[in-house]
Amino acid sequence: PWTPVTKALAASTVAIVTTAGVHHREQEPFDMKDHDGDPSFRVIDSREPFSSLMITHDYYDHTDADKDINIVFPLSRLKEFAQEGRIGQVADLHYGFMGHIINRHIPTLINKTAPEVAGRLKKAQVDIVLLTPG
């Protein structure tokens, strides 16, 4: 049955923000040498081939996600939901972070990179952000 919530979802633009270390293969990998993490982000273009995605993250076991990246970055599922009319559309651009960010990099994440991504999502008129951990 269509409720106000399902009607709102059917008209929404949805994006993914992940802390699973997802990025395109041609992008610079996240810095695994810095023990405090890497507070930068990667723009993930959903128009690029899904096979171009990979994970760079040493702080969780992503063996299964390496076989099916939808486990941590469910872009294929969102595209299916859009085709079925469950959501309005999938945003073109999504964002990948590395989830292990501590100590000296926390201010950069809080004051620079996270607000920048939030601003980009707002400018793109994204209604819903699906946050996925690594």
Side-chain angles (χ1 to χ4, degrees):
W2 284 92
T3 67
V5 172
T6 55
K7 287 179 184 177
L9 286 173
S12 297
T13 299
V14 182
I16 301 171
V17 173
T18 184
T19 60
V22 177
H23 60 91
H24 290 289
R25 292 184 190 284
E26 69 275 1
Q27 292 174 320
E28 181 179 346
F30 290 97
D31 184 355
M32 292 294 106
K33 294 178 184 174
D34 188 334
H35 295 289
D36 288 344
D38 181 343
S40 65
F41 64 87
R42 305 294 179 270
V43 177
I44 302 167
D45 191 331
S46 65
R47 299 164 293 194
E48 295 293 321
F50 202 63
S51 60
S52 75
L53 298 177
M54 63 174 290
I55 297 169
T56 300
H57 204 311
D58 291 346
Y59 294 93
Y60 76 99
D61 179 2
H62 49 83
T63 304
D64 290 331
D66 288 336
K67 295 174 188 168
D68 181 3
I69 206 159
N70 279 290
I71 292 171
V72 295
F73 194 75
L75 185 59
S76 295
R77 303 297 78 81
L78 285 183
K79 287 181 176 184
E80 289 170 5
F81 287 173
Q83 288 176 347
E84 295 168 1
R86 293 178 185 225
I87 61 173
Q89 63 184 2
V90 178
D92 289 336
L93 302 179
H94 307 266
Y95 298 90
F97 286 89
M98 181 189 143
H100 175 84
I101 302 168
I102 59 173
N103 301 323
R104 66 188 168 85
H105 290 314
I106 291 174
T108 302
L109 176 68
I110 292 172
N111 299 314
K112 184 179 177 208
T113 54
E116 182 176 343
V117 167
R120 288 173 178 225
L121 291 163
K122 186 175 181 177
K123 184 176 180 181
Q125 298 181 324
V126 169
D127 301 299
I128 298 171
V129 175
L130 178 62
L131 301 172
T132 63

